Amino acid sequence: MRAALEEAEKAAAEGEVPVGAVVVSPDGKILARAHNRPVAAKDPTAHAEILALRQAARKAGNYRLPGCRLVVTLEPCPMCAGAAVAARVSEIVYGAEDPKSGAVSTLYRIASDPRLNHRATVIPGVLEKDCSALLKAFFRPRR
């Protein structure tokens, strides 16, 4: 999660919503790291999770990432949760809950929906205070 927080800090420095993500291989090595870039990329899909999953898939040479863990500072939205399920990650670890668009624990439970052909274990609240503090500090002057 510390590596994901470093990425989130990069996003904040670029004026992007401070969300960072890393994909960790089954043997514990970081395959990919990314941060939010939808404003800079002019791309609504340029969320940290999507960018990290794409990078990890290229590195692994496969669009599926079985045994991998997606670690993200903010609970994934529906798009990112769906991408994680499509990539067949084994675990989704996140820091802060997202009461407005959280899709793995809060509003929806995409990663554990039994109607889908893959499910991932969800581990919420890792370094939650640090992740929440970064988001609050970013949005405070904007509100």
Side-chain angles (χ1 to χ4, degrees):
M1 185 60 78
R2 297 258 181 237
L5 274 164
E6 288 173 12
E7 288 297 318
E9 289 169 358
K10 290 178 189 177
E14 295 172 11
E16 301 274 3
V17 174
V19 178
V22 296
V23 177
V24 180
S25 71
D27 62 356
K29 293 187 173 103
I30 293 178
L31 284 176
R33 52 177 71 223
H35 56 276
N36 268 4
R37 302 209 68 244
V39 175
K42 297 175 181 58
D43 178 357
T45 69
H47 289 197
E49 301 96 320
I50 299 294
L51 298 174
L53 288 167
R54 285 178 182 158
Q55 195 181 115
R58 280 192 300 273
K59 196 168 195 176
N62 192 340
Y63 72 102
R64 291 191 174 160
L65 300 166
C68 289
R69 175 182 298 141
L70 173 64
V71 180
V72 61
T73 56
L74 180 65
E75 181 181 2
C77 71
M79 175 182 68
C80 295
V85 169
R88 308 293 198 271
V89 299
S90 296
E91 289 182 348
I92 299 171
V93 177
Y94 72 86
E97 285 186 344
D98 186 348
K100 294 185 179 182
S101 65
V104 296
S105 295
T106 310
L107 294 178
Y108 308 103
R109 296 180 183 272
I110 291 172
S112 57
D113 191 321
R115 296 169 294 180
L116 299 176
N117 64 346
H118 176 75
R119 282 165 289 293
T121 300
V122 175
I123 302 169
V126 176
L127 295 179
E128 181 176 12
K129 288 181 183 177
D130 294 342
C131 295
S132 292
L134 187 56
L135 286 158
K136 286 175 184 171
F138 178 81
F139 283 111
R140 192 172 297 118
R142 288 166 174 75
R143 292 189 175 155

